[in-house]
Amino acid sequence: MNPIDIAQKWSSMTAASAWEAWVEYTLACQENRAKVQGSLIRLLHRTLYAAFTAWQDAAADRAHQRAKIATCVARISNRSLAEAFHGWQEALHHQRDLQDRLASCLQRWRLQGLATAFQAFQANAVKQRKAKAVQPYPGPSLASTKLTIVLQYLQQILKLDKCFPLH
């Protein structure tokens, strides 16, 4: 609709319908103006928009590349970390083995004097057993001899008591 056609229409209309027609025309003009301004802005800023879009795409690509690199570094780091851990485990095992060997060696050194004394005791005990086996029976001990004498004396007293009662 152009303004001349609208003016001709208004001349044949009543005031109320003319007002409504003017409002419609104004709203249509505002919509068209907004569309034209948007198109103009897009045309003016197309280079800026294209640059911004290119920057966004480049930033996304860089982030994707960083993620790939981070994954590779993590794998390399994990491999290095795993190798370091296994090396630490082996070193720890080796160290514990050395400690166990040293402890047993020290224990042998500490007990060597005791072992020597025990071996001397064993040798002496064997020697005494052999000496007893070679010696003849020494006879009754002094205590058993005294006991035998006392018992014989009591026997004699009892025999005398039977022969000569005192009651």
Side-chain angles (χ1 to χ4, degrees):
M1 267 198 207
N2 77 33
I4 298 171
D5 291 336
I6 292 174
Q8 286 174 356
K9 231 183 193 186
W10 284 352
S11 62
S12 64
M13 295 183 184
T14 62
S17 60
W19 175 255
E20 287 177 14
W22 181 78
V23 169
E24 283 178 32
Y25 174 74
T26 308
L27 288 175
C29 286
Q30 285 177 351
E31 286 176 15
N32 289 336
R33 183 177 291 152
K35 288 178 186 177
V36 169
Q37 282 179 344
S39 296
L40 182 62
I41 288 172
R42 276 194 296 277
L43 284 173
L44 291 174
H45 296 295
R46 182 176 290 177
T47 5
L48 181 61
Y49 179 75
F52 180 72
T53 306
W55 175 80
Q56 272 185 323
D57 292 341
D61 286 343
R62 273 181 268 148
H64 185 66
Q65 290 299 324
R66 280 190 196 129
K68 283 183 179 180
I69 291 170
T71 303
C72 290
V73 168
R75 285 182 186 157
I76 291 169
S77 295
N78 286 342
R79 186 178 308 135
S80 300
L81 186 62
E83 288 173 0
F85 178 72
H86 290 302
W88 173 77
Q89 273 186 326
E90 288 176 13
L92 184 64
H93 178 69
H94 181 69
Q95 184 179 8
R96 285 184 180 163
D97 188 41
L98 285 176
Q99 285 176 348
D100 291 344
R101 286 183 196 174
L102 182 62
S104 66
C105 183
L106 287 175
Q107 188 70 11
R108 272 188 254 123
W109 284 352
R110 251 189 269 150
L111 297 178
Q112 192 166 6
L114 183 61
T116 304
F118 183 72
Q119 288 170 352
F121 168 76
Q122 272 185 325
N124 191 26
V126 168
K127 184 177 170 184
Q128 285 181 356
R129 269 190 250 128
K130 285 181 182 178
K132 278 186 180 180
V134 173
Q135 288 179 354
Y137 180 69
S141 66
L142 182 63
S144 67
T145 307
K146 286 183 183 178
L147 181 63
T148 306
I149 292 172
V150 169
L151 287 174
Q152 287 174 355
Y153 178 72
L154 284 174
Q155 252 181 350
Q156 287 175 3
I157 290 176
L158 288 175
K159 281 183 187 176
L160 286 176
D161 189 34
K162 283 183 186 175
C163 295
F164 304 106
L166 294 175
H167 315 325

